[in-house]
């Protein structure tokens, strides 16, 4: 099984790395992040880069992330306390098979098929989103395009965790 983890590396890097380690202990291949060692990104300290990414632009790294989502079986959005940043929200929508960010755009059919299933770490917290985005993600949850919980992912793929995971 192949997984991508998206989320705010700047806010939750140590927790994301811990989740990556837990998944790998269970035999799950984590495509992204594919490294745990961070480098000093002097060009943009807000954008986390890992060893081996120092010569790559942010655009190239974001494209690599999107490509990994298309290759993955599952896509975990690490939304601790219900927070999802802009990049992770875009990745959530792509992982759910569309480039739409509102229900109106979704209904227009801005889709691209993915093999990935999307899982939020936790339910969304409405205080972090404008109402339209919040309702759109709720709509994706209602349709089953997005689910909540890494434990749910394990169940969906018929797997068992060696370590307690939410």
């Amino acid at each position: 099984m192949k997984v991508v983890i998206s989320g705010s590396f700047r806010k939750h890097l140590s927790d994301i790395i811990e989740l990556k380690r837990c998944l790998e202990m269970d035999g799950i291949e984590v495509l992204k992040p594919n490294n745990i060692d961070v480098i000093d990104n002097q060009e943009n300290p807000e954008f986390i880069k890992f060893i081996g990414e120092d010569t790559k632009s942010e655009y190239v790294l974001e494209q690599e992330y999107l490509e990994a989502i298309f290759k993955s079986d599952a896509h975990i959005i690490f939304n601790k306390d219900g927070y999802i940043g802009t990049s992770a929200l875009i990745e959530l929508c792509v992982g759910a098979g569309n480039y739409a960010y509102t229900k109106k755009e979704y209904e227009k059919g801005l889709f691209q098929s993915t093999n990935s299933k999307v899982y939020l770490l936790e339910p969304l917290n409405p205080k972090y989103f404008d109402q339209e985005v919040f309702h759109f993600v709720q709509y994706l949850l209602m349709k089953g395009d997005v689910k909540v919980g890494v434990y749910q992912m394990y169940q969906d793929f018929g797997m068992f965790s060696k370590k307690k995971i939410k």
Side-chain angles (χ1 to χ4, degrees):
M1 179 175 173
K2 297 177 183 176
V3 171
V4 170
I5 305 170
S6 294
S8 176
F9 289 173
R10 191 173 42 81
K11 291 183 179 193
H12 305 298
L13 183 61
S14 62
D15 292 328
I16 290 170
I17 289 171
E18 178 62 25
L19 175 60
K20 173 182 167 57
R21 286 184 176 137
C22 289
L23 295 170
E24 290 172 339
M25 281 177 37
D26 289 334
I28 296 172
E29 180 182 356
V30 179
L31 299 175
K32 292 285 183 181
N34 57 353
N35 201 323
I36 60 170
D37 298 315
V38 176
I39 62 169
D40 186 18
N41 183 6
Q42 294 181 6
E43 292 175 19
N44 182 0
E46 296 293 307
F47 190 90
I48 303 296
K49 285 187 173 184
F50 297 94
I51 288 179
E53 298 177 341
D54 49 332
T55 61
K56 295 180 181 180
S57 71
E58 292 171 19
Y59 175 80
V60 167
L61 292 171
E62 289 168 356
Q63 293 306 305
E64 287 179 358
Y65 234 88
L66 296 177
E67 289 171 18
I69 291 167
F70 281 98
K71 294 176 183 174
S72 69
D73 300 304
H75 179 206
I76 300 168
I77 307 296
F78 194 95
N79 65 318
K80 188 171 185 176
D81 301 322
Y83 171 81
I84 301 175
T86 304
S87 294
L89 182 62
I90 291 167
E91 293 162 0
L92 177 151
C93 291
V94 169
N98 68 85
Y99 287 94
Y101 307 108
T102 66
K103 190 173 178 183
K104 184 185 269 187
E105 289 176 350
Y106 185 83
E107 289 170 347
K108 286 181 185 176
L110 301 173
F111 299 100
Q112 185 168 349
S113 180
T114 65
N115 295 323
S116 181
K117 294 182 180 181
V118 181
Y119 297 87
L120 297 172
L121 182 72
E122 300 176 2
L124 293 179
N125 187 332
K127 76 178 186 179
Y128 294 118
F129 305 96
D130 72 34
Q131 192 172 7
E132 188 173 21
V133 170
F134 178 77
H135 288 297
F136 176 62
V137 177
Q138 291 298 110
Y139 175 72
L140 294 175
L141 284 160
M142 181 190 71
K143 285 188 69 242
D145 292 346
V146 176
K147 296 181 179 182
V148 177
V150 175
Y151 179 74
Q152 181 66 53
M153 178 192 77
Y154 275 79
Q155 285 185 319
D156 289 351
F157 286 90
M159 298 179 69
F160 300 95
S161 178
K162 294 175 183 144
K163 191 171 182 184
K164 186 178 178 188
I165 294 180
K166 289 186 195 180

